[in-house]
């Protein structure tokens, strides 16, 4: 393809949030008639880049050129007016309005001073026909599948006139045939000359649909590649920010030895999951966890790690399979029943699913134990303080006192408070979903050290992290997930970053 | 298949209400001699004209996802102010009526502004509006003011023949006019459709570039206007202003709207449903009067029960909607389970 | 900013300051406000009046505090007050000689059971059917008054059974008996919430329902019992209301009490968004409201007008709690600071 002028070019975009440099001097180019995927791990800066482009955030420095002219949209609406349209994963349409209305809301054709419904219906049908979609446009939006809703959203933005179409995680809740339907439309639009930005966590889909890939890592530009020139393995390596050759094959020896030791003296099984699954969330999987073992769950963002944890802890109800704790079948249908069975779970979403911001550190720590004891076996304030102080000391939680509010603590310390909440219940199984995310390096190391210590004391730990390095360092066995399914288990010599990556890239 | 199912379930609440009305009217006609007559049917409009007008404004507010608790006392205040201006200040109805309508609209506008600009709960803000209007009634006068103004007297006693000698009152005609205008606005104007969009998803409406703030404030202003108009029609009906008038009427209004198939969570409903809701409300009262031995307060219990039934129905619809969208909202039940 | 917020939210200081300011205003404008007299061995005066009249609101606000702490609301309490009054009145009966139909204690317990059941109904709708609290309690708000009127057959029942009057009219050591009831309920509630884990669980559910569920708290049960308790409190409140006037008027008993109770809770420092709750703050909040009402009366403004003042207090309190309002105010001050 000759190097024509890109329809969009973002040059040296930098965006700083208090305490975080979300983007530093990132470049991005987009050409007419191409599908361009932006790839990266958590915190890579994908969404910030898109938000700058769509006017949600304003860049601190750098410039955006649309067809050669500098632009600076200050709201999604302004961006839309310039021809930059976005279709989000959580479809931003009104479920209670008809398909036609959703397409024309705010721009309804009128006749004799009133809305001309007939005309609106006719034009909607025409528009959708272009996308190869023939449906009854007078029905309300929510009566259609997510896939169709997405196409309706696309039809809407196309009608407003669009030069650039941004698809943000459009496939995450679609099944295979629906994905194919969407891809057909995307290819059609691309061939018509539209420039499309495609964001997804699904590796395979990236390869199916995209012409070009831009990789970001920690807010920095890693590179822009033509899709067919970039092998999957290289892509994963670039997303993780390392060259393949850099990976050390020698994992933590101590860990390896222990793993063998556990396997050797017929370790007691604490958790045995058989064929557990939930449609649309994660494919059925088997899993077991032994006493004193750290089972790592490795996979890219969106691979189904969190879904797996939520299913085991009874947050989402499984529609098949069973869970055994210590060899006995456990009826786990709520977090409470999971707790009673001896599990603990630290959610990846600390803010909305973990910490009680307005409660004190003491209350935050004591809560699960108190819930387990029941309302009336009240733990006296003195006893609470004792437990909390002990936890604060042993986990090195930095807080002026146990009676400070949890919201005043740093992210790492809030994470420790959540850990402490579960440790106080002395669980036999502890599930940690991204406990090291969004905290500083020192705290990360502390938490990993802690995990190893807990396993040495005999606790069975499931450890989820986006950083394969961390998973490898902590785990005695690793389950690999990809595209919402468990695809392999690695142990012994296979437990290293490169084999995880190979498994993800290869196992199709 | 699920699409067809949903399409019918969309109109189901209104059909249920229509069926309810027909059954009640039928039962009444069988049980009580003299019940079945065209005039008796028209009387439902005459006796509930003011309620119908309030309900039109309320329907808009509820569809937008809000609520307006001030309508009952706004009706009383409008009546008081009308009566006072007419009888004490001896002003012409030509001025009184616009002044009162303006006052109602302004108060609605003010509450709408507070709700929208400062992100405050409509429930509490309009509850305070209820207090304010009720208190202001007594600022105007502590006692009943009867209205002797000729125009109002004429409006109260006028009968407009509809079919043969069966008649409607001017108030009822105004109410029917308001329903028709309301229907046009809700169905054929951008304002009306934006109200629905906001009720469906305020976030989406914003991102679609719809004028959310303006529309939300306007719905409360509209409801204020309707309560003021309802107050004037109520004065046609009772020919007096009194501070206790319309007590609890906000709930009758909400109940009628809900029974008419409008979702309290917003986004769904229409004005013919509301009309039916008001008629059902009216016929329950008439039935209890005809029955004779039950005291009139059974009306409230029956209405409360109907609100319960319709709310549970609505929950079921939401649950079904959740099921069709299950994949998108896989995490929602977890949040909903906590009871927010 | 945070220190100001934490101070204003965690301390009982603000409501006390507001109460003090209110009393101070009275000191300047209506010095006779503080006059106490002894008549027939009892203390008389505005201050005693406040204590005598405040008990029902205080009781409601105790139950309401816990409901609001879970990020809920219970608007049915006023109607439940009427139900309680109606139930106890028919069970005691209007015998002119003062012979109760059933023993007074039995009548009272039965009335309380009815109200507890009403609370359970609300709790069930909120926790199991998962209705929005406002909508769930709206049902009893509508039907409750009807039930009360059906109990009393739409008549005002006058009671002559002397012992029952102690509840609302008796004095012990110069202080109204009802205040002792409030103190008792308050103490029990305090012990029950703060000396068990109940209070912490309620706050946890109100702050972050998802995290509460994930921590193994049974949020459903918490919600259920909180509404049940609110119903019980409304029941006790109704007994006092009935005893104070020795009559049960289903139409007016407890009218608009729900707003007073909500206002008391909010004035006391508990946020409408749920979370940390302050039982003593709510008690002070109730005192502020009653003092306000009594003050308005003392100045010579008719009691009926006092809702106007309350409305503005509600709006002001809501604005103070609004994040958007605060940031806007801060912005105005900052701008002024810069230009100066």
């Amino acid at each position: 393809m000759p190097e024509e002028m890109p329809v969009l070019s973002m040059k040296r975009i930098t965006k700083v949030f208090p305490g975080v440099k979300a983007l530093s001097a990132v470049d991005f180019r987009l050409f007419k008639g191409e599908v361009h995927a932006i790839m990266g791990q958590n915190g890579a800066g994908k969404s910030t880049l898109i938000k700058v482009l769509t006017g949600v955030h304003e860049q601190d420095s750098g410039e955006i050129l649309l067809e050669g002219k500098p632009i600076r949209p200050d709201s999604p609406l302004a961006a839309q007016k310039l021809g930059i349209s976005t279709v989000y994963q959580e479809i931003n349409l009104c479920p209670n309005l008809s398909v036609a209305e959703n397409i024309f809301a705010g721009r309804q054709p009128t006749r004799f001073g009133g809305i001309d419904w007939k005309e609106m219906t006719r034009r909607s049908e025409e528009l959708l026909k272009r996308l190869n979609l023939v449906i009854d446009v007078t029905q309300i939006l929510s009566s259609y599948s997510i896939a169709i809703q997405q196409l309706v959203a696309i039809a809407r933005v196309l009608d407003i006139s669009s030069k650039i179409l941004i698809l943000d995680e459009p496939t995450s809740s679609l099944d295979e045939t629906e994905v194919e339907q969407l891809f057909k439309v995307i290819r059609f639009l691309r061939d018509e000359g539209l420039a499309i930005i495609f964001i997804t966590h699904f590796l395979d889909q990236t390869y199916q649909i995209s012409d070009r890939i831009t990789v970001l890592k920690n807010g920095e530009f890693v590179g822009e590649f033509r899709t067919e020139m970039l092998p999957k393995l290289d892509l994963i390596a670039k997303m993780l920010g390392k060259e393949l050759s850099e990976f050390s094959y020698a994992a933590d020896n101590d860990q390896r030895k222990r793993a063998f030791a556990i396997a050797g003296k017929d370790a007691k099984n604490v958790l045995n999951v058989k064929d557990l699954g939930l449609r649309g969330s994660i494919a059925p999987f088997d899993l077991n966890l032994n006493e004193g073992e750290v089972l790592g769950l490795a996979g890219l963002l969106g691979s189904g790690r969190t879904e797996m944890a939520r299913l085991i802890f009874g947050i989402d109800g499984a529609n098949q399979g069973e869970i055994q704790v210590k060899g006995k079948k456990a009826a786990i249908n709520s977090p409470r029943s999971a707790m009673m069975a001896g599990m603990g779970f630290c959610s990846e979403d600390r803010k909305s699913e973990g910490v009680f911001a307005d409660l004190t550190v003491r209350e935050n720590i004591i809560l699960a134990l108190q819930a387990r004891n029941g309302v009336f076996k009240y733990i006296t304030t003195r006893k609470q303080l004792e437990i909390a102080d002990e936890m604060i000391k042993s986990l090195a939680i930095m807080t002026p006192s146990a009676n400070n509010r949890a919201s005043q603590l740093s992210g790492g310390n809030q994470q420790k408070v959540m850990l402490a909440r579960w440790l106080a219940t002395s669980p036999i199984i502890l599930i940690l979903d991204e406990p090291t995310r969004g905290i500083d390096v020192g705290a990360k190391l502390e938490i990993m050290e802690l995990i190893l210590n807990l396993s040495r004391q005999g606790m069975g730990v499931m450890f989820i992290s986006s950083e394969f390095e961390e998973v490898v360092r902590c785990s005695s066995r690793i389950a690999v997930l990809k595209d919402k399914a468990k695809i392999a288990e690695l142990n012994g010599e296979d437990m290293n970053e490169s084999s995880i990556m190979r498994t993800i890239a290869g196992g199709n | 298949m699920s699409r067809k199912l949903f399409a019918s379930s969309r109109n189901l609440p209104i059909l249920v209400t229509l069926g309810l009305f027909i059954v009640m009217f039928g039962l009444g006609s069988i049980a009580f001699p003299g019940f079945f007559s065209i005039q008796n049917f028209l009387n439902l409009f005459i006796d509930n004209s003011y309620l119908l007008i309030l309900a039109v404004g309320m329907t808009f507010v509820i569809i937008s996802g809000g609520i307006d608790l001030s309508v009952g006392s706004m009706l009383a205040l409008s009546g008081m102010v009308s009566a006072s201006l007419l009888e004490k200040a001896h002003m012409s109805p030509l001025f009184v009526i616009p002044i009162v309508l303006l006052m109602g609209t302004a108060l609605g506008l003010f509450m709408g502004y507070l709700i929208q600009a400062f992100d405050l709960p409509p429930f509490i803000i309009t509850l305070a509006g209820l207090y304010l209007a009720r208190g202001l009634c007594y600022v105007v006068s502590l006692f009943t003011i009867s209205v002797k103004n000729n125009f109002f007297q004429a409006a109260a006693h006028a009968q407009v023949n509809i079919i043969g000698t069966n008649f409607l009152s001017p108030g009822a005609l105004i109410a029917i006019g308001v329903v028709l205008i309301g229907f046009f606005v809700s169905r054929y104007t951008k304002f009306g459709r934006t109200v629905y969009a906001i009720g469906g998803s305020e976030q989406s409406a914003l991102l679609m570039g719809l004028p959310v703030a303006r529309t939300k404030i306007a719905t409360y202003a509209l409801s204020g206007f309707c309560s003021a108009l309802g107050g004037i029609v109520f004065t046609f009906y009772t020919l007096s202003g009194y501070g206790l008038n319309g007590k609890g009427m906000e709930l009758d209004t909400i109940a009628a709207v809900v029974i008419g198939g409008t979702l309290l969570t917003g986004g769904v409903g229409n004005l013919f449903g509301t009309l039916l809701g008001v008629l059902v409300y009216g016929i329950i009262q008439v039935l209890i009067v005809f029955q004779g031995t039950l005291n009139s307060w059974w009306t409230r219990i029956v209405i409360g029960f109907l609100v319960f039934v319709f709310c549970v129905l609505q929950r079921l619809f939401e649950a079904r909607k959740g099921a069709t969208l299950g994949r998108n909202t896989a995490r929602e039940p977890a949040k909903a389970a906590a009871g927010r | 900013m945070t220190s100001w917020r934490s101070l204003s939210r965690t301390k009982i200081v603000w409501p006390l300051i507001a109460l003090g300011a209110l009393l101070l205003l009275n000191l300047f404008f209506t010095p006779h406000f503080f006059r106490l007299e002894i008549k027939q061995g009892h203390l008389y005066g505005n201050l005693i009046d406040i204590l005598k009249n405040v008990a029902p609101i205080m009781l409601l606000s105790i139950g309401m505090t816990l409901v609001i702490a879970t990020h809920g609301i219970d608007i049915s309490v006023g109607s439940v007050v009427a139900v309680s009054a109606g139930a106890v009145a028919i069970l005691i009966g209007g015998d002119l000689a003062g012979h109760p139909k059933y023993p007074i204690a039995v009548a009272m317990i039965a009335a309380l059971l009815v109200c507890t059941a009403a609370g359970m109904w609300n709790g069930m709708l909120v926790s199991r059917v998962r209705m929005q609290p406002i909508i769930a309690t709206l049902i009893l708000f509508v039907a409750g008054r009807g039930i009360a009127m059906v109990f009393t057959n739409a008549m005002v029942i006058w009671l002559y059974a002397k012992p029952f009057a102690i509840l609302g009219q008796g004095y012990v050591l110069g202080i109204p008996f009802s205040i002792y009831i409030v103190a008792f309920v308050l103490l029990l509630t305090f012990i029950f919430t703060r000396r068990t884990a109940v209070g912490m669980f309620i706050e946890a559910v109100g702050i972050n329902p998802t995290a509460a569920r994930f921590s193994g708290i049974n949020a459903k049960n918490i919600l259920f019992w909180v509404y049940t308790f609110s119903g019980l409190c409304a029941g006790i409140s109704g007994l006092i209301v009935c005893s104070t006037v020795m009559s049960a008027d289903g139409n007016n008993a407890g009218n608009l009490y729900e707003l007073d109770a909500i206002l008391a809770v909010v004035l006391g420092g508990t946020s409408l968004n749920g979370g940390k709750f302050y039982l003593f703050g709510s008690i002070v909040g109730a005192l502020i409201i009653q003092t306000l009402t009594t003050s308005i009366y003392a100045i010579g403004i008719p009691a009926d007008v006092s809702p106007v003042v309350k409305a503005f207090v509600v709006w002001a309190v809501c604005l103070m709690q609004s994040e958007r309002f605060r940031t806007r105010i801060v912005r105005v001050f900052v701008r002024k600071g810069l230009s100066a």
Side-chain angles (χ1 to χ4, degrees), chain B residues 225-248:
Chain B
F225 173 86
C226 285
S227 359
L229 185 61
I232 290 169
V233 169
F234 191 75
T235 314
F236 286 168
Y237 188 71
T238 60
L239 285 177
S240 68
Y242 181 44
L244 268 179
N245 281 343
K247 193 166 144 261

Coordinates of all heavy atoms in Angstrom, one line a residue, chain B residues 225-248:
Chain B
F225 N -47.3 23.0 35.7 CA -48.4 23.6 34.9 C -49.6 22.8 35.0 O -50.7 23.3 35.3 CB -47.9 23.7 33.5 CG -49.0 24.2 32.5 CD1 -49.3 25.5 32.3 CD2 -49.8 23.3 31.9 CE1 -50.3 26.0 31.5 CE2 -50.8 23.7 31.0 CZ -51.1 25.1 30.8
C226 N -49.5 21.5 34.9 CA -50.7 20.6 35.0 C -51.3 20.7 36.3 O -52.6 20.7 36.4 CB -50.3 19.2 34.6 SG -50.0 18.9 32.9
S227 N -50.5 20.7 37.4 CA -51.1 20.8 38.7 C -51.9 22.1 38.9 O -52.9 22.1 39.5 CB -50.2 20.6 39.9 OG -48.9 20.3 39.4
A228 N -51.3 23.2 38.4 CA -52.0 24.4 38.5 C -53.3 24.4 37.7 O -54.4 24.8 38.2 CB -51.1 25.6 37.9
L229 N -53.3 23.8 36.5 CA -54.5 23.7 35.7 C -55.5 22.8 36.4 O -56.7 23.1 36.5 CB -54.2 23.1 34.3 CG -55.3 23.1 33.3 CD1 -55.9 24.4 33.0 CD2 -54.8 22.4 32.0
G230 N -55.0 21.7 37.0 CA -55.8 20.8 37.8 C -56.5 21.5 38.9 O -57.7 21.3 39.2
G231 N -55.7 22.5 39.5 CA -56.3 23.2 40.6 C -57.5 24.1 40.2 O -58.5 24.2 40.8
I232 N -57.3 24.7 39.0 CA -58.4 25.6 38.5 C -59.6 24.7 38.1 O -60.7 25.1 38.5 CB -57.9 26.3 37.2 CG1 -56.8 27.3 37.6 CG2 -59.0 27.0 36.5 CD1 -56.1 28.0 36.5
V233 N -59.4 23.6 37.5 CA -60.5 22.7 37.2 C -61.1 22.2 38.5 O -62.4 22.0 38.5 CB -60.0 21.5 36.3 CG1 -61.1 20.5 36.2 CG2 -59.6 22.1 34.9
F234 N -60.3 21.9 39.5 CA -60.9 21.4 40.8 C -61.7 22.5 41.4 O -62.8 22.2 42.0 CB -59.7 21.1 41.7 CG -60.1 20.4 43.0 CD1 -60.5 19.1 42.9 CD2 -60.2 21.1 44.2 CE1 -60.8 18.4 44.1 CE2 -60.6 20.4 45.3 CZ -60.9 19.1 45.3
T235 N -61.3 23.8 41.2 CA -62.1 24.9 41.7 C -63.4 25.0 40.9 O -64.5 25.3 41.5 CB -61.3 26.2 41.6 OG1 -60.0 26.0 42.1 CG2 -62.0 27.3 42.4
F236 N -63.4 24.7 39.6 CA -64.6 24.7 38.8 C -65.6 23.6 39.5 O -66.8 23.8 39.5 CB -64.4 24.2 37.4 CG -63.7 25.2 36.5 CD1 -63.2 24.8 35.3 CD2 -63.7 26.5 36.8 CE1 -62.6 25.7 34.4 CE2 -63.1 27.4 36.0 CZ -62.6 27.0 34.8
Y237 N -65.0 22.6 39.9 CA -65.7 21.4 40.4 C -66.3 21.7 41.8 O -67.4 21.4 42.1 CB -64.8 20.2 40.5 CG -65.4 18.9 40.8 CD1 -66.2 18.3 39.8 CD2 -65.1 18.3 42.0 CE1 -66.7 17.0 40.1 CE2 -65.7 17.0 42.2 CZ -66.5 16.4 41.3 OH -67.0 15.2 41.6
T238 N -65.5 22.3 42.7 CA -65.9 22.5 44.1 C -66.3 23.9 44.4 O -66.9 24.2 45.4 CB -64.8 22.1 45.1 OG1 -63.7 23.0 44.8 CG2 -64.3 20.7 44.9
L239 N -66.0 24.9 43.5 CA -66.3 26.3 43.8 C -65.8 26.8 45.1 O -66.5 27.6 45.8 CB -67.8 26.5 43.6 CG -68.2 26.5 42.1 CD1 -69.7 26.7 42.1 CD2 -67.5 27.6 41.4
S240 N -64.6 26.3 45.5 CA -64.0 26.8 46.8 C -62.6 26.5 46.8 O -62.1 25.6 46.1 CB -64.7 26.2 48.0 OG -64.4 24.9 48.1
G241 N -61.9 27.3 47.6 CA -60.5 27.0 47.8 C -60.3 26.7 49.3 O -60.8 27.4 50.1
Y242 N -59.6 25.6 49.5 CA -59.3 25.2 50.9 C -58.0 24.5 51.0 O -57.6 23.7 50.2 CB -60.5 24.3 51.4 CG -60.3 23.9 52.9 CD1 -60.0 24.8 53.9 CD2 -60.6 22.6 53.3 CE1 -59.8 24.4 55.2 CE2 -60.4 22.2 54.6 CZ -60.1 23.1 55.5 OH -59.9 22.7 56.8
G243 N -57.3 24.8 52.1 CA -55.9 24.3 52.3 C -55.8 22.8 52.4 O -54.7 22.3 52.2
L244 N -56.9 22.1 52.7 CA -56.8 20.7 52.8 C -57.2 20.0 51.5 O -57.1 18.7 51.5 CB -57.7 20.2 54.0 CG -57.0 20.1 55.3 CD1 -58.0 19.6 56.4 CD2 -55.8 19.2 55.3
N245 N -57.6 20.7 50.5 CA -58.0 20.1 49.3 C -56.8 19.3 48.7 O -55.7 19.7 48.8 CB -58.4 21.2 48.3 CG -59.8 21.7 48.5 OD1 -60.6 21.0 49.2 ND2 -60.1 22.8 47.9
G246 N -57.2 18.2 48.0 CA -56.2 17.5 47.3 C -55.1 16.8 48.2 O -54.0 16.5 47.8
K247 N -55.5 16.6 49.5 CA -54.6 15.9 50.4 C -54.4 14.5 50.0 O -55.3 13.7 49.8 CB -55.1 16.0 51.8 CG -54.1 15.6 52.8 CD -54.6 16.0 54.2 CE -54.2 15.0 55.2 NZ -55.2 14.1 55.6
G248 N -53.1 14.1 49.8 CA -52.9 12.7 49.4 C -53.1 12.5 47.9 O -53.0 11.3 47.5

